[in-house]
Amino acid sequence: MSDEIKSGKQVIDEFFAEILNIEGVDKKTVEKLTSLYSEGKLTDTNIENAMGQLFQEELDTTEEKDGKD
Amino acid sequence: MAKIKSINISGIRGIKDPLPLNLNNRSILIFGENGSGKSSLTDAIEWYYLDGVKHLVSEETGVTKGRGSLRNLFIPESEDAFVNIQYSNNKLNATKTIDSSLRASTSNTTDNFKDYFLATQSENLILRYRDLVEFIIATPGKKLEKLQNIIGFSAVADVRGLLKKSAGRIARNIRSSNYDNQKNAQYTVVLVNLGQNAYTDDQLFAGANLLIKPLQIGKDIKSHKDIQDVLKAIETKEDTALLEQISFYTKVGENLTEIVGNIDSIHSSYKTFHTIYTELRKDPENIQRLQLLALLKEGQSVLKNDVVQDDYCPLCLQEKSKIELIKELNERIKELEELEAKKDKLEEQGQKLKDILRVNVNTIDGLLKEKLFKEEQQAGLLEKVQQIKTSLNAFSAELEKESIAKDPIQEPSKIQIDKKEISELAKQAQDKAKALTESKGSNIKFQIYTKLFHAVTAYNQYQSIKRQEEILTKQQITFQLLFADFIKKQEEALNVFLKMFSANIDEYYTTMNPNEKIEDIKLVPIKDRNDDLVGITIEYGFFNETKTPPIAYLSESHINCLGLSFFLASVKAFNKQSDFFVLDDVISSFDRPHRSRFAKLLADKFGDYQILLLTHEQGFFELVASDVKSKGWLIQDFKWSNEHGVEFEKSTTDMKERILKKFEDKDTDGLGNDIRVYTEKVMKEIANNIEARVAFRYNEINEKRMAPELLDAVHSRISKKGNRLKDKANIQKLKGMPMFIGNITSHDSEFNESIQDLAAIWKDIGNTIHTFYCDDCKKFISIKYFDNVENKIRCRCGKLAYDWKK
């Protein structure tokens, strides 16, 4: 643990900078979140909408793939 | 880092005429009796930085943040009130004005100033006596909130909350969707129609090949496209109506099977809800008391905001220590908050059940849209399906009931969905579909088409549901991992901060309270049973035992001391732009040794800061003044007059200059009074230095000692201690002078002496004062410099000395 005193912004920035290194996370989910944070749009409603959109995109991709064979 | 070069205030609170304060980046000690308006200076600075004055908010309604009481009542409407601050960094110089319609504006619109101003919003610039204990007596949750706000961790808490909320929402979606149940319903259809398991494409294709084998169409199904080709090839248009009926019953069977799979979950959820609900209602007073929570919190806020300044309860008006009252309120609020947590748990359980009910009602609504329900022959089935919806809605209706309603919600045994009946209905629908499929026993192609069609449709549904579950589970796991990682990072950062912050608080507190059995003061995070950070408490060692919270064990002055330490630690930690702070009457509850140590703490640890130290206590003023004069502090007295509002009282140096100027101008107007006031001031200092005793007086009366009383006291003291000093000082001569005959009512009265008489008086007074004053070191003789060997009272440099009996 570093003994450097960090501001709240530093804590959040560092978290989002290292977020993809967290073992076991879904890359697309993380990318959506990072994008919302960098645009200053990290709100509950925006996260809910983004996750709903991602859910649908992934479902559609699967169904398209299933229909191809 | 910015210091203040000068402040000029006009028309704010008690300050009517412009009050320029030239600090030149130096600290200042300001004395003003109660009502002298010194806090107007603090109010003006608070308004300048925070656009409102907290302690004025309670005096008015609306959202003006105290601005309604800000303007001095006696300035014309056309005149703007203002605060002008010139800083060490002149790019920040600004004037903030407020007009009679309470519109405020700031002259400096540069980015430099905006950045500085924004940064100051999380700085600690002002501490008043009334705010001293605010942090110390706050609940753990409020302490966390306050600290997080000032260290910029509120955004961290927000992100943490978002991650947690998102993980929870997705988990709830997964739970309420009951994917296993949905998959089972589809799987049953696959099994019934295909006649074998089909969890994978290969199993489906193998089953489909077996199913179409009797048709001998020479097609080997290896893909979904092959299945569609086969279906197209064996489709018979003339049986569309029959196929619709089979699909209808198949859907009814599927949907009802899904609902059957959820019934146990609905019942058990309701049972849990009912148990919590019943527990809460056991003591009806509990719920009633919960309604007091908002009132108690309001009371807490009223006390903390100092709406009530004296020690009494604002509701029953009985005398009560304010700190005791806040302590009791905190305890009651804590108890009710625990009760509120139970109520929250009830609401959470209710929400969980609502989610499950919503999914099932949606399923029924989707089913009811089937066009075959419009046919008369389906009236019986329609009624039964509608009845299921009614049963589901009955649960929702129970959930809507208030926990304080007169009649309780229904017992779990009284509100049940008939699982058996719905199971039978599902079975009947499935049997009907099967019977219809087999009704064309001779038409093998139709039967195979129907079975393959339904098997494939259900298989695709099964895969889609499986995929939905996988996507959501992936999202949920991601949010859980992010949340866990974020907590770790937040706690690490908070602990580093708390460690440093606690060390400073501990240092300042123990400096002011040495040799006391309170040590190792720490701010400690508190977690709830879910390991969530919910607050911060203050811990300290007390006779080698760890104690918390401070309010339970410490006296009022010690709690104030802790509050002061917290503020000073906050200044060190958070003031990154402003190199100054204001302390307004913060030592009222301290005794002399604590005041002395506090003054030393300021001088030793905050020497680099510019401090605006305001006090109404003459003793403290004199104590600090003697220490800080040599450190370059400015010393200033405030007074208030009807004519000008708050103004500076002339220092003895200023007064002396004024007197000399009047002699030069031969102006006798008010000269006698000036001489009296000047002599009183000097005599006070002499009396203090030689420890001449005067009769005890309360508070401000003590500060209004008249010259005759002081002269008597000094004369009496030096008469007992040494003849040389007594003879040289010749106090008796002064006592006979006209301006020293009388009492407090003679203040400001007119003297009719000629300029020559006054000059003679002035000369005699000067001689007397000079007896006590050393021109070399510019100090009065004082007990502080008593020479024990020679038994002499001396000035600081020792050049002026008199015999002084022990």
Side-chain angles (χ1 to χ4, degrees), chain B residues 224-366:
Chain B
H224 287 277
K225 188 173 177 303
D226 291 344
I227 292 177
Q228 294 308 318
D229 290 345
V230 168
L231 281 172
K232 207 169 180 181
I234 62 173
E235 189 179 19
T236 42
K237 300 285 183 197
E238 61 270 26
D239 293 321
T240 307
L242 183 60
L243 201 59
E244 268 181 7
Q245 280 201 345
I246 295 168
S247 295
F248 170 71
Y249 285 114
T250 304
K251 184 164 183 184
V252 172
E254 271 171 35
N255 289 355
L256 295 188
T257 304
E258 256 181 65
I259 288 169
V260 167
N262 290 330
I263 290 173
D264 286 347
S265 167
I266 292 171
H267 286 163
S268 77
S269 263
Y270 183 75
K271 199 174 168 189
T272 310
F273 180 82
H274 185 268
T275 306
I276 306 170
Y277 175 90
T278 310
E279 177 70 25
L280 260 180
R281 278 180 65 100
K282 252 185 196 165
D283 183 359
E285 280 182 14
N286 265 349
I287 309 290
Q288 300 288 352
R289 274 165 49 220
L290 204 49
Q291 294 180 74
L292 291 175
L293 186 57
L295 176 69
L296 294 178
K297 282 186 173 173
E298 190 56 35
Q300 193 185 39
S301 153
V302 162
L303 290 172
K304 281 180 188 166
N305 289 333
D306 228 28
V307 177
V308 174
Q309 301 200 355
D310 299 321
D311 283 347
Y312 70 92
C313 166
L315 280 180
C316 67
L317 303 182
Q318 286 189 14
E319 253 187 55
K320 187 144 202 168
S321 147
K322 195 173 153 188
I323 286 192
E324 273 299 312
L325 203 55
I326 293 175
K327 184 181 156 192
E328 279 177 28
L329 267 179
N330 281 350
E331 279 166 10
R332 288 182 67 189
I333 286 171
K334 190 181 166 206
E335 193 184 320
L336 288 180
E337 279 178 340
E338 281 166 12
L339 195 62
E340 195 178 44
K342 280 186 194 165
K343 198 163 175 255
D344 289 346
K345 199 176 158 198
L346 180 74
E347 278 167 16
E348 193 185 317
Q349 183 62 29
Q351 186 57 49
K352 198 171 147 189
L353 181 51
K354 275 180 195 167
D355 289 342
I356 305 173
L357 291 169
R358 179 177 42 78
V359 169
N360 287 281
V361 169
N362 286 347
T363 303
I364 295 287
D365 283 341

Side-chain angles (χ1 to χ4, degrees), chain B residues 436-447:
Chain B
L436 286 171
T437 306
E438 288 167 0
S439 64
K440 284 205 164 187
S442 55
N443 189 343
I444 187 80
K445 200 162 91 175
F446 175 79
Q447 281 190 32

Side-chain angles (χ1 to χ4, degrees), chain B residues 757-774:
Chain B
D757 290 342
L758 287 168
I761 288 170
W762 179 242
K763 191 179 169 200
D764 288 341
I765 289 171
N767 287 339
T768 298
I769 291 171
H770 248 89
T771 313
F772 297 88
Y773 189 74
C774 172

Side-chain angles (χ1 to χ4, degrees), chain B residues 401-432:
Chain B
K401 285 184 182 169
E402 285 285 338
S403 45
I404 51 167
K406 192 180 162 199
D407 297 322
I409 59 168
Q410 292 199 57
E411 292 282 332
S413 58
K414 301 267 173 61
I415 178 168
Q416 294 275 323
I417 302 172
D418 193 337
K419 186 177 174 184
K420 195 175 162 201
E421 191 185 329
I422 302 173
S423 288
E424 278 170 10
L425 208 56
K427 176 87 174 41
Q428 282 167 16
Q430 284 158 353
D431 289 348
K432 185 78 178 169

